[in-house]
Amino acid sequence: MPLSPAVARDPLHVREVICNGYYRADGLWDIEGHLKDLKTYGFENEHRGHVEAGHPVHDMWIRLTLDDNFVVQAIEAVTDASPYSICSDITVNFARLKGAKIGPGWRREVRNRIGGVHGCTHLVELLAPLATTAYQTIQSAHARTLRGGRYVEDDPTEPEDRKGRRPRLINSCHAFGETSPVVARYWPDHYTGALRA
């Protein structure tokens, strides 16, 4: 169901964020993100001159290369369009994320390594959906099972979950709340809701 009808309005700004996950031939994972900001009107920019309506204000890319443990093996950041001519100078700093691990503390680690003047606000923002895309790509690929000639992804459990430890997913969202039917199904030992007959 879409959003409710809106009040009459004029479109002014569009932000597009596209993230894709890939399995590489060498056994690593590439997680790529593309961020683009567009205005619906033309404007003057001190560094670029006139920017036509629909031309990108920001046009930026990141590729994270990860191992199975979500550790950054390599990172590449590119700025194709930005408001200031010096914006692309900072992309080399993103290499500082090599060795960081996506998981608890990821955002803090990003801030410590490339926060503030050591990074780019928009590229740093792009790392959040990239982290989610990494999880969706790698965990889903590990959970796939071939049934009837089709891949099925219906088991969110991780290997450590099956050893009796409390899964990290519990209480991470509504569906994985410890009282939800999803937790009752996948992790009954950690379910705290009312038992159904």
Side-chain angles (χ1 to χ4, degrees):
M1 171 169 69
L3 296 171
S4 62
V7 172
R9 57 194 183 172
D10 293 321
L12 298 175
H13 184 85
V14 175
R15 168 163 280 194
E16 298 173 353
V17 175
I18 298 173
C19 299
N20 294 295
Y22 303 93
Y23 182 67
R24 296 168 30 140
D26 62 2
L28 296 174
W29 306 87
D30 277 343
I31 311 299
E32 293 183 356
H34 183 202
L35 179 148
K36 192 184 287 189
D37 281 324
L38 310 163
K39 299 292 186 191
T40 61
Y41 52 87
F43 63 95
E44 298 302 317
N45 177 276
E46 180 182 348
H47 299 274
R48 292 171 55 185
H50 185 75
V51 179
E52 292 287 342
H55 285 219
V57 179
H58 298 108
D59 192 0
M60 302 174 169
W61 305 78
I62 294 180
R63 177 186 297 137
L64 288 170
T65 300
L66 306 172
D67 64 16
D68 280 343
N69 296 312
F70 297 88
V71 175
V72 178
Q73 303 299 307
I75 181 170
E76 181 181 356
V78 174
T79 297
D80 285 332
S82 59
Y84 307 101
S85 56
I86 65 170
C87 289
S88 62
D89 296 349
I90 206 70
T91 57
V92 297
N93 282 3
F94 282 74
R96 295 176 183 177
L97 287 175
K98 187 173 180 180
K101 181 176 181 171
I102 294 176
W106 168 249
R107 290 181 188 192
R108 182 177 57 251
E109 194 65 30
V110 167
R111 279 193 311 272
N112 289 341
R113 294 185 188 207
I114 54 171
V117 298
H118 302 289
C120 162
T121 301
H122 308 290
L123 285 169
V124 168
E125 286 176 1
L126 185 54
L127 289 168
L130 280 172
T132 304
T133 303
Y135 182 82
Q136 293 291 331
T137 300
I138 298 170
Q139 279 304 119
S140 295
H142 287 225
R144 285 189 309 187
T145 55
L146 189 61
R147 292 193 201 131
R150 292 182 31 213
Y151 279 109
V152 179
E153 295 182 37
D154 65 352
D155 183 357
T157 61
E158 301 174 31
E160 61 266 26
D161 300 342
R162 298 181 203 121
K163 296 176 186 170
R165 288 185 236 151
R166 182 178 170 93
R168 289 177 292 180
L169 287 176
I170 291 182
N171 289 332
S172 65
C173 71
H174 175 70
F176 292 138
E178 61 191 19
T179 61
S180 84
V182 176
V183 169
R185 176 179 177 198
Y186 291 114
W187 304 290
D189 292 345
H190 302 284
Y191 176 69
T192 62
L195 297 174
R196 294 190 180 119

